[in-house]
Amino acid sequence: MRLVEVVTRVLQENSIFKELTPGQRELVAGCASLMVFQEGAFIYREGQPAQHFYLIRHGRVALEVHVPGRAPIIVDSLRDGDPLGWSWLIPPYRTHFDARALGLTRVMGFDAECLRQKMEENPAFGYALHKRMAPVIASRLAAARRQLIDIYGRPDQQGVAWR
Amino acid sequence: MAVAALPDRMQLHPFLVERVTMDVSDTFTLVLRPQYGTDAFPFKPGQFNMLYLFGVGEVPISISGDPQQPERLVHTIRALGTVTAAMQKLKKGSVVGVRGPFGTAWPVDEAAGADVVIIAGGVGLAPLRPAIHAILAKRGQYGRFVILYGARTPKDILFRRELQRWGGRMDTFVDVTVDRAPGDWRGNVGVVTSLIGHGGFEPEHTIAFVCGPEVMIRYAVQALSDRGVRDDRIYLSMERNMKCAVGFCGHCQWGGNFVCRDGPVFRFDGIADVFQVREL
């Protein structure tokens, strides 16, 4: 089976891409390659040009913040079926975190430059892809804000027994 | 879902502390047995007792033990106020007054035939543990069984060994996440609602039990609803300032409900309107 066919089949089953038209999925598939990362390998590092967008096929990836002199802090984790990276879509196309494989991780990588060029040339395709990526970005932002409110911290209220 | 009243629910029964276990930094479990006699203490999953520490005060605490082992009363408590902080210092042989059990229960029997999704956050796993025990005891009666748990950090994961044991079963899916973690953590990081999409349950055949901080409950209900779980199949446990536990004093009034009497377990469609009222 050709790579494009494999990728197209995966995209067809993915919640983000399944609603694209078959032609649009083929455009995405044309920018794809299969990649494998060993446990502990960095898929990308904070501040690097966002050259790829990834779909995790199998494995787990930690998004980390590196603090000099301290152990890294994991702020989010992603796994099978999750998209990894949205910096490729938003100028200046630089990554915001370190992404590290927590175990053997197989991903589908999409060349960001290739995708952006197709989106410029084909605005309907560009809009469709933006429309699928925007909810991912929004839900990650909402989740990050919820993590910030520390809902499991000690409530001020006294007399509430089990929380 | 209503649970039959006991003869005298204001009467205090003395119980002896048999064991105190520290679960996480500020949360501990008391195992109690009756001081006099050997009577069992039957309860339904989700119910709570009023625990009285003589000379200090009384607090409502959910029962966290196995309903099939009613000869020992188990309570998991977070030390937050004067009474619970004093309870944390109890030793084997100390006496605690017990009234109960009170309140409504998780609809464990009614959920037979359905996929069951448990969503818990922080010490909210404690009131759900009896339901988990009850479901596992009759595992064949249920469809997919999913337990999703969120904690603050890896160190704050409650009932860690039990979560591992449940997750090790072939017939139970357990997923745990924390809000933040050091670099050596191999599990999930993120809000508990991020686990829902990986549960593999069928929303139209699912009954969900949700317990944790109220903010977490709100987001969990929203996420379940977004996936297609109906409001009348979502149950949640609410917490208010309960005092008498019999719907008499009014301290825990919540809209038209008394949480101690009409709850703490509510079906979401019955309270959806008051749930959104910020002043309550």
Side-chain angles (χ1 to χ4, degrees), chain B:
Chain B
M1 207 170 70
V3 176
L6 287 178
D8 187 352
R9 290 147 66 86
M10 295 304 282
Q11 189 186 335
L12 208 60
H13 300 275
F15 275 66
L16 290 173
V17 174
E18 192 171 273
R19 198 168 66 241
V20 186
T21 317
M22 282 307 296
D23 297 304
V24 295
S25 62
D26 59 357
T27 304
F28 59 100
T29 294
L30 291 180
V31 179
L32 308 171
R33 65 178 169 83
Q35 185 173 19
Y36 306 110
T38 54
D39 286 351
F41 195 95
F43 67 95
K44 297 211 171 192
Q47 288 192 294
F48 69 96
N49 283 320
M50 297 301 293
L51 300 189
Y52 186 78
L53 195 56
F54 300 100
V56 185
E58 192 181 41
V59 283
I61 305 287
S62 292
I63 304 169
S64 62
D66 185 344
Q68 283 115 160
Q69 296 176 10
E71 61 281 357
R72 291 290 179 273
L73 195 50
V74 182
H75 287 283
T76 300
I77 304 164
R78 190 175 186 192
L80 284 177
T82 312
V83 181
T84 50
M87 282 179 174
Q88 194 175 7
K89 294 174 186 148
L90 290 174
K91 303 282 181 216
K92 182 178 178 180
S94 303
V95 178
V96 174
V98 177
R99 288 195 292 131
F102 297 110
T104 52
W106 300 110
V108 171
D109 293 335
E110 294 89 325
D115 287 359
V116 179
V117 176
I118 302 261
I119 303 178
V123 75
L125 183 57
L128 281 162
R129 186 162 71 157
I132 295 170
H133 280 302
I135 289 167
L136 290 177
K138 296 178 178 173
R139 182 64 190 89
Q141 293 185 7
Y142 301 89
R144 189 164 169 79
F145 185 34
V146 176
I147 301 169
L148 309 176
Y149 177 60
R152 196 181 193 204
T153 71
K155 284 181 183 166
D156 297 309
I157 294 173
L158 195 62
F159 308 141
R160 183 188 284 258
R161 266 183 289 183
E162 274 181 296
L163 284 165
Q164 284 171 341
R165 196 166 65 240
W166 296 331
R169 294 174 60 121
M170 299 294 283
D171 57 5
T172 303
F173 177 80
V174 175
D175 217 355
V176 174
T177 187
V178 296
D179 274 356
R180 53 185 161 278
D184 59 354
W185 169 247
R186 288 289 173 272
N188 299 305
V189 177
V191 290
V192 71
T193 47
S194 69
L195 305 177
I196 292 174
H198 296 278
F201 55 89
E202 292 180 22
E204 63 275 23
H205 298 126
T206 290
I207 288 188
F209 301 166
V210 186
C211 187
E214 201 164 317
V215 183
M216 187 220 83
I217 293 177
R218 209 165 69 223
Y219 293 134
V221 167
Q222 181 66 55
L224 287 166
S225 186
D226 289 347
R227 294 200 82 80
V229 181
R230 291 201 326 251
D231 286 357
D232 63 347
R233 296 174 74 86
I234 300 174
Y235 292 81
L236 45 91
S237 181
M238 291 300 295
E239 179 77 4
R240 285 294 182 272
N241 193 14
M242 295 184 273
K243 293 287 183 194
C244 71
V246 289
F248 195 69
C249 71
H251 277 91
C252 64
Q253 186 171 1
W254 185 46
N257 300 299
F258 290 115
V259 174
C260 69
R261 186 193 62 194
D262 307 315
V265 176
F266 292 94
R267 201 172 83 177
F268 183 65
D269 62 334
I271 47 106
D273 51 347
V274 287
F275 196 69
Q276 300 301 335
V277 180
R278 294 178 180 206
E279 291 75 18
L280 291 177

Side-chain angles (χ1 to χ4, degrees), chain A residues 10-40:
Chain A
V10 172
L11 295 179
Q12 214 168 336
E13 290 163 6
N14 185 274
S15 58
I16 297 170
F17 296 102
K18 67 181 177 192
E19 284 171 21
L20 292 177
T21 64
Q24 289 170 336
R25 279 198 294 270
E26 244 178 73
L27 285 174
V28 175
C31 298
S33 57
L34 300 177
M35 302 176 183
V36 179
F37 294 91
Q38 297 294 330
E39 179 176 352

